[in-house]
Amino acid sequence: MKWVSYHPLIFEIKDILIKCSNVLNSLSNGEKIFSAGSSFGSLSKDTELVADKVLSGVVTESLLSRAECLNVGRISIEGTPDIFVSGGNDRFWWCVDPLDGSLNYKMRQNTTGLPFAAVITVLEKVRGAKFSDVIAAGVIDLRNGDMWLASRLVKGKYYTLVNGHRAESSRCTELDIGSNIVIGEMYYPSNRQIVSGIFKNKKGWLRNTGSAAYEMALVASGTAVLFLCNSQKQHELGAAYALVKGSGGVVVDFDGNDVANREFLFNAQTPVLVAANNKIAEQVLAKLKVLRAPGLR
């Protein structure tokens, strides 16, 4: 394999993700509700589990204890106020969702092993960052330790590893749920309408597992050819952008624009196609154009 110069932060991300996994495995009451919001997945009033709280503490302590070494300037963790560390805008912005798929974790004893994951994204700007400012990212499947890591080589180019090996998105160029897995976010009613419109009367592998970070990582490793959501949270999408770009895939909005130049806002939601390649994305965009035509909305 050609020698690649990884950004050193991917190894730091790896260590923190492993620490989160180890702590989660040691919890005896992590599924208990710590604070009851409006629902799981809410931007402003999310339900928080004991596991969410504990893992947030693990990440915060890990970053603050080595803030100088890790060049920490800002820490954003889902469900907690931002922490700013002195040093100016030349420091890094660490964005974390310590338990993506909280409901799957809470109900894990009563399900068939639905995924829950931790995700970390590091951007090179504390403020005014764009997706292209992601320099390193990682996702870990907290059930079994599978891990995706992405490192920016130069602006716009990434290199992605899955369990230590080069990740490659699918080379399939036909959007066919009869032979390829497509993931449609089913939490949001408006997105369910879009997905059902695109694949009306089609039978096949249309799936949604309940952990967006994990689902988008599956596109990076070639398991799925597409993830589609009209309101994807950016704190998960930031990592997916790096992971999928580094494996040969594309990440575009519903107008076909690469999200690279879109402003990164931790709590914002973005319409996005995370696709294995341009051919797959183009076929979805053509179907979206028909669905959004006057009289068909």
Side-chain angles (χ1 to χ4, degrees):
M1 183 178 71
K2 184 178 179 180
W3 185 83
V4 175
S5 178
Y6 303 114
H7 195 289
L9 280 184
I10 69 168
F11 303 107
E12 304 290 349
I13 290 171
K14 177 180 179 180
D15 288 345
I16 295 174
L17 291 175
I18 290 174
K19 186 180 293 185
C20 286
S21 179
N22 291 338
V23 169
L24 189 67
N25 288 334
S26 70
L27 287 180
S28 58
N29 64 340
E31 73 282 356
K32 302 299 182 183
I33 293 178
F34 177 79
S35 63
S38 61
S39 64
F40 288 94
S42 169
L43 279 175
S44 57
K45 297 181 179 179
D46 201 354
T47 297
E48 187 178 28
L49 305 181
V50 168
D52 287 299
K53 188 70 173 178
V54 170
L55 294 184
S56 293
V58 168
V59 174
T60 301
E61 181 181 359
S62 297
L63 294 178
L64 291 181
S65 65
R66 304 184 62 222
E68 289 298 320
C69 177
L70 301 179
N71 203 30
V72 178
R74 180 180 180 182
I75 303 171
S76 295
I77 300 178
E78 186 181 27
T80 66
D82 281 9
I83 299 173
F84 287 88
V85 181
S86 61
N89 201 39
D90 58 339
R91 288 179 174 266
F92 297 152
W93 184 8
W94 289 72
C95 299
V96 184
D97 185 349
L99 186 57
D100 178 53
S102 297
L103 184 59
N104 288 351
Y105 173 75
K106 177 175 172 55
M107 302 298 293
R108 66 193 185 282
Q109 303 301 332
N110 302 314
T111 66
T112 55
L114 293 174
F116 41 94
V119 52
I120 297 176
T121 309
V122 184
L123 300 99
E124 61 183 349
K125 293 180 181 178
V126 169
R127 294 182 177 85
K130 299 179 179 179
F131 278 85
S132 60
D133 291 312
V134 174
I135 54 175
V139 172
I140 186 171
D141 182 344
L142 291 167
R143 300 169 302 172
N144 56 24
D146 283 345
M147 190 181 300
W148 294 256
L149 295 167
S151 170
R152 195 178 75 183
L153 306 179
V154 295
K155 203 85 166 181
K157 292 189 179 296
Y158 295 84
Y159 193 90
T160 300
L161 299 169
V162 55
N163 294 333
H165 301 283
R166 175 72 190 275
E168 292 189 62
S169 60
S170 173
R171 296 182 180 179
C172 174
T173 57
E174 292 297 323
L175 183 66
D176 176 16
I177 60 173
S179 56
N180 294 289
I181 294 174
V182 169
I183 301 172
E185 176 58 70
M186 298 300 180
Y187 183 83
Y188 304 104
S190 57
N191 201 63
R192 291 200 294 269
Q193 293 176 353
I194 293 171
V195 172
S196 63
I198 292 175
F199 298 104
K200 185 177 181 180
N201 297 326
K202 299 290 185 180
K203 292 191 292 186
W205 298 97
L206 181 60
R207 295 291 184 263
N208 175 238
T209 68
S211 172
Y214 171 81
E215 291 166 348
M216 290 185 282
L218 291 182
V219 178
S221 51
T223 303
V225 298
L226 174 72
F227 171 92
L228 182 155
C229 182
N230 69 341
S231 49
Q232 176 56 47
K233 295 178 182 178
Q234 289 194 7
H235 61 253
E236 297 149 352
L237 183 56
Y241 168 77
L243 293 173
V244 173
K245 295 280 282 190
S247 65
V250 298
V251 184
V252 299
D253 64 21
F254 277 16
D255 293 313
N257 302 310
D258 192 307
V259 302
N261 292 320
R262 183 182 288 268
E263 184 179 8
F264 182 90
L265 301 168
F266 185 78
N267 283 320
Q269 292 174 291
T270 298
V272 71
L273 305 178
V274 178
N277 50 63
N278 277 314
K279 292 291 186 182
I280 294 292
E282 287 168 359
Q283 292 168 69
V284 181
L285 289 168
K287 293 179 180 294
L288 282 173
K289 186 175 181 179
V290 172
L291 288 175
R292 296 162 75 185
L296 295 178
R297 297 179 182 178

